[in-house]
Amino acid sequence: MNILVLGSGGREHAIAWRLGKSKSVDKLWCAPGNAGTAGIATNIDIDPLDFRAVKESVKNYGIDLVVVGPEAPLAAGITDYLDGSCLVFGPNSDGAKIESSKLFSKRFMQRNGIPTAEFASFDNYEEARKFLQEASGSWVVKADGLAAGKGVFVTESKEDAIGALNAVMIEKRFGNSGNKVVIERRLTGQEASYIVITDGKNFVPMLPSQDHKPIYDNDKGPNTGGMGAYAPAGLVDKELEKRIQKEIIEKAISGFAREGIDYKGVLYAGLMIEDGNPYLLEFNCRFGDPETQPQMALFKGDLAKIMSDAAEGRLSDYNDIWLDKYAVCVVAASGGYPGSYEKGKLITGIKEAESAGAVVFHAGTVLRYGKIYTNGGRVLGVTAVADTLKEAKKSAYEAISKINFDRIYYRSDIADKALKNE
Ligand code: AMP
Ligand code: GLY
């Protein structure tokens, strides 16, 4: 099978790395990819949103399967566009609405009896403001549309909440994504990511994982795309996993079918575990980043086969697809991220980190004349596998300490929430 992976993040490097080890893969391309994917696939310098160029590559290179990494091309309809040209792993634009519209998503959860926080939605600023003025308790204000993970404000007070509403609806910080808002009750507890591959009927679960969204240790500071993750997350034990499958995943899959949505690809449930009960914060229509890095580090099945089976609507049972170990991924970011930061810093120590036993997944990196430079906010994800979570953490931090670039920053507490409970 010839496969083209769309995207350029750590998630896409991890997917391509694992696909490269699949028996059923002949040749691998990435568009546009990064310095890491350049070492394991052929990078094609095209934008995944340039559908015509993607289709041309599919024809030129005899691609059998396109694996779509990020949400934007899915929301824009890449799967619909490529229909008939090749298999596509990722839902069509109807399915991708589960991520691209928070309001659609919340209403879908409500219609299908999926546990989620109580909410209200508004397209009128004054009405939204009045709601917040009169409401008691703590609220979360969310821009309806895609906002690169930044359109959600978890607020402490009425003033905070109204400030967030102003940012979304008056200042239009996320453009038209803020034409509508969802205001939902703030849940408390620990978050977990439960991600499955589905063909619209059956599903193959990934190992439960936990992301670390805020920039600083102890979950302080603004949210980022994710500063580190580990798997499996013990917070989701077998019993809780069964409940998540029954109360959330199965209800969603049957909901899609009932509503005429042909949903194939990844279904990602972002969960809050409050008092032992799973509540759905959001659905995403693609793999997590960085959750994919530890998940792929532990995956030992034939990923290409599972993805093409999902795209063809014929998932079956796949046994023995996980290592019985733990993986921790620590993300190295450019100083200043998630605010403004500089690019173009020389990165050293990647080989040393790999010799220390880690896999270094590239995100914002670029290759110039044989040297690797920073090219984004999240730069690398250093991922280590070990028999215990504690050893995996130690090994990931030992490896990342070998890496350097000007103003490198990473959290020092990835996986600590789980380790404290051990
Ligand atoms: P979302 O993009 O909707 O998942 O929101 C991004 C992040 O905001 C989540 O990962 C949570 O950390 C936080 N968040 C979203 N909704 C809530 C909620 N109802 N209660 C508490 N935190 C939330
Ligand atoms: N790590 C969070 C996400 O992929 O949405």
Side-chain angles (χ1 to χ4, degrees):
M1 209 180 327
N2 286 339
I3 303 189
L4 168 62
V5 177
L6 297 182
S8 59
R11 166 182 52 210
E12 287 76 22
H13 186 189
I15 292 170
W17 175 81
R18 179 48 65 196
L19 284 171
K21 297 179 190 296
S22 284
K23 298 196 281 296
S24 41
V25 176
D26 297 310
K27 262 202 98 180
L28 201 54
W29 284 264
C30 286
N34 57 35
T37 62
I40 54 170
T42 306
N43 283 352
I44 318 174
D45 190 18
I46 55 173
D47 181 344
L49 288 169
D50 183 349
F51 290 1
R52 212 162 353 146
V54 173
K55 200 182 230 173
E56 239 162 64
S57 298
V58 165
K59 278 200 202 119
N60 291 345
Y61 303 118
I63 303 292
D64 304 296
L65 172 70
V66 171
V67 174
V68 189
E71 62 277 14
L74 294 168
I78 185 85
T79 303
D80 317 62
Y81 186 86
L82 293 177
D83 188 27
S85 303
C86 61
L87 289 174
V88 183
F89 181 75
N92 57 24
S93 59
D94 282 348
K97 267 176 84 180
I98 204 69
E99 173 165 4
S100 65
S101 167
K102 292 214 183 280
L103 186 52
F104 171 81
S105 189
K106 288 293 285 191
R107 289 190 174 143
F108 177 87
M109 295 174 207
Q110 212 171 33
R111 280 197 299 277
N112 289 289
I114 294 172
T116 188
E118 171 200 340
F119 76 102
S121 68
F122 303 91
D123 55 14
N124 177 294
Y125 170 78
E126 281 310 325
E127 285 173 19
R129 191 185 156 90
K130 186 158 172 275
F131 173 88
L132 285 172
Q133 287 286 10
E134 290 169 3
S136 60
S138 300
W139 296 86
V140 180
V141 176
K142 303 183 175 187
D144 172 53
L146 291 178
K150 296 185 182 133
V152 173
F153 296 81
V154 180
T155 66
E156 304 279 345
S157 64
K158 232 178 247 301
E159 292 69 40
D160 265 8
I162 290 171
L165 184 67
N166 291 344
V168 174
M169 292 194 97
I170 303 289
E171 293 162 28
K172 291 264 176 219
R173 209 177 283 175
F174 312 102
N176 288 339
S177 286
N179 289 351
K180 291 185 203 153
V181 282
V182 169
I183 299 180
E184 64 178 58
R185 190 168 288 287
R186 182 173 170 181
L187 298 168
T188 51
Q190 275 205 53
E191 285 180 57
S193 304
Y194 195 75
I195 299 165
V196 305
I197 291 177
T198 179
D199 63 355
K201 301 181 289 287
N202 301 308
F203 64 90
V204 178
M206 302 292 104
L207 291 176
S209 60
Q210 189 171 51
D211 186 14
H212 295 66
K213 284 195 176 139
I215 184 78
Y216 302 125
D217 282 7
N218 299 314
D219 288 344
K220 298 280 188 284
N223 266 352
T224 68
M227 293 301 294
Y230 64 90
L235 169 71
V236 181
D237 60 18
K238 283 286 161 220
E239 201 180 317
L240 183 57
E241 180 169 18
K242 270 201 202 111
R243 282 189 62 191
I244 294 166
Q245 292 183 352
K246 203 159 170 285
E247 296 171 26
I248 296 173
I249 303 296
E250 286 168 15
K251 282 187 181 170
I253 292 174
S254 56
F256 288 133
R258 209 172 22 251
E259 297 185 16
I261 298 173
D262 180 21
Y263 197 100
K264 295 191 176 89
V266 172
L267 183 64
Y268 166 138
L271 306 166
M272 183 74 85
I273 313 301
E274 192 179 62
D275 301 328
N277 298 308
Y279 291 89
L280 186 65
L281 295 177
E282 62 168 350
F283 276 129
N284 293 320
C285 61
R286 37 82 193 167
F287 282 117
D289 194 352
E291 293 95 319
T292 302
Q293 287 84 316
Q295 287 169 335
M296 290 299 109
L298 295 171
F299 189 84
K300 60 171 181 172
D302 186 340
L303 185 63
K305 172 151 176 46
I306 295 181
M307 285 175 160
S308 62
D309 284 355
E312 288 183 290
R314 53 184 180 92
L315 278 181
S316 55
D317 286 331
Y318 307 89
N319 296 320
D320 199 25
I321 57 174
W322 298 104
L323 293 174
D324 191 12
K325 290 176 186 275
Y326 291 84
V328 172
C329 168
V330 182
V331 171
S334 299
Y337 173 79
S340 59
Y341 55 84
E342 290 174 10
K343 296 182 185 175
K345 314 286 189 189
L346 180 68
I347 306 171
T348 58
I350 293 176
K351 283 215 171 71
E352 289 78 357
E354 284 169 342
S355 306
V359 191
V360 179
F361 292 120
H362 292 231
T365 67
V366 64
L367 191 62
R368 278 194 215 118
Y369 303 110
K371 292 203 156 109
I372 299 173
Y373 296 86
T374 67
N375 195 39
R378 290 190 292 172
V379 176
L380 301 160
V382 177
T383 306
V385 172
D387 287 337
T388 66
L389 187 62
K390 197 171 164 191
E391 288 168 59
K393 178 192 167 186
K394 187 161 171 273
S395 172
Y397 276 103
E398 264 167 28
I400 205 171
S401 73
K402 315 271 182 213
I403 292 182
N404 208 3
F405 53 85
D406 183 34
R407 296 197 63 203
I408 184 173
Y409 168 77
Y410 48 88
R411 276 179 64 157
S412 69
D413 66 340
I414 304 303
D416 279 0
K417 266 185 277 195
L419 291 169
K420 270 179 205 138
N421 293 335
E422 272 185 359

